[in-house]
């Protein structure tokens, strides 16, 4: 596992010890960023089920200003912090040990909005639609932002969740990616 592109290109990242998390492969990570970027001119990214932090760190490497990492697992949070140090991004990130519901409520209280949100919950316990509904309800996504959902290939997410619409879906073996954005806002081009 490594940073695929940007200012930290090629830098190896540590994986979370144990078998409780499955990092996004470099191939899938590269595909995701080719669909939504591939590079950014600033912005705020939320990596809600951070694991090792690979997706949020990739976004920082590709030009995002700041990242918020949330995971309820202590080992995952320690791994994120170690990976941020390896990439010299510690001063551009916040890492929280929390579950997704509480984290979203805390972000609402802080009146934060994001250009990019990664949702990669454990496949067996996914509540992606409910999480998308919360993000929609509290307008945590900026008008031109994207939500990237990683899920099992056998899961089909709805074409619309509130005013969010699917912009792109891709399947990579047992992994699927579904990308949402605000409906009718993104008519400037195709992904």
């Amino acid at each position: 596992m490594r940073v695929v592109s940007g200012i930290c290109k090629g830098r190896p990242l540590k994986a979370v010890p144990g078998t409780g998390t499955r990092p996004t492969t470099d191939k899938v990570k590269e595909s995701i960023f080719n669909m939504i970027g591939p590079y950014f001119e600033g912005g705020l990214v939320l990596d809600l089920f951070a694991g090792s932090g690979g997706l949020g760190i990739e976004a920082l490497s590709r030009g995002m200003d700041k990242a918020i990492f949330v995971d309820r697992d202590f080992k995952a949070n320690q791994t994120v912090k170690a990976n941020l140090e390896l990439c010299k991004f510690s001063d551009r990130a916040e890492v929280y040990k929390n579950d997704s519901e509480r984290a979203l409520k805390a972000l609402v209280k802080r009146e934060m909005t994001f250009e990019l949100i990664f949702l990669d919950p454990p496949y067996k316990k996914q509540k992606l639609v409910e999480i998308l509904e919360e993000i929609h309800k509290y307008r945590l996504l900026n008008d031109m932002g994207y939500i990237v959902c990683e899920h099992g290939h056998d899961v089909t997410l709805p074409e619309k969740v509130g005013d969010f619409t699917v912009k792109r879906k891709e399947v990579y073996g047992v992994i699927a990616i579904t990308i949402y954005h605000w409906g009718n806002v993104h008519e400037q081009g195709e992904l």
Side-chain angles (χ1 to χ4, degrees), residues 36 115 132 136 141-148 159-168 178-191:
I36 61 172
E115 281 71 30
L132 287 163
H136 179 271
L141 183 70
N142 284 348
D143 287 345
M144 301 302 282
Y146 292 105
I147 302 172
V148 177
E159 287 295 317
K160 284 184 72 76
V161 176
D163 294 321
F164 294 147
T165 58
V166 170
K167 186 68 173 174
R168 182 116 175 228
T178 303
I179 299 173
Y180 286 91
H181 68 97
W182 288 101
N184 299 325
V185 174
H186 286 254
E187 300 310 323
Q188 76 266 17
E190 285 302 309
L191 274 181

Side-chain angles (χ1 to χ4, degrees), residues 27-48:
K27 176 186 170 192
V28 172
K29 198 179 343 179
E30 187 167 17
S31 295
I32 288 169
F33 282 91
N34 285 338
M35 288 186 265
I36 61 172
Y39 300 99
F40 309 99
E41 293 182 19
L44 186 58
V45 58
L46 171 62
D47 196 343
L48 191 55

Side-chain angles (χ1 to χ4, degrees), residues 95-165:
V95 182
Y96 297 101
K97 182 182 180 300
N98 213 337
D99 65 45
S100 60
E101 285 179 42
R102 286 185 178 151
L104 290 176
K105 287 176 183 168
L107 294 169
V108 169
K109 283 183 183 174
R110 290 176 66 185
E111 298 180 359
M112 298 184 88
T113 59
F114 299 88
E115 281 71 30
L116 184 55
I117 298 174
F118 292 111
L119 303 177
D120 183 11
Y123 288 176
K124 289 184 168 64
K125 299 177 185 173
Q126 287 193 342
K127 297 189 247 175
L128 280 170
V129 173
E130 292 93 332
I131 295 167
L132 287 163
E133 287 169 346
E134 288 293 299
I135 291 168
H136 179 271
K137 178 180 174 182
Y138 295 111
R139 291 196 61 87
L140 290 169
L141 183 70
N142 284 348
D143 287 345
M144 301 302 282
Y146 292 105
I147 302 172
V148 177
C149 302
E150 185 175 327
H151 52 90
H153 72 288
D154 54 345
V155 173
T156 303
L157 293 175
E159 287 295 317
K160 284 184 72 76
V161 176
D163 294 321
F164 294 147
T165 58

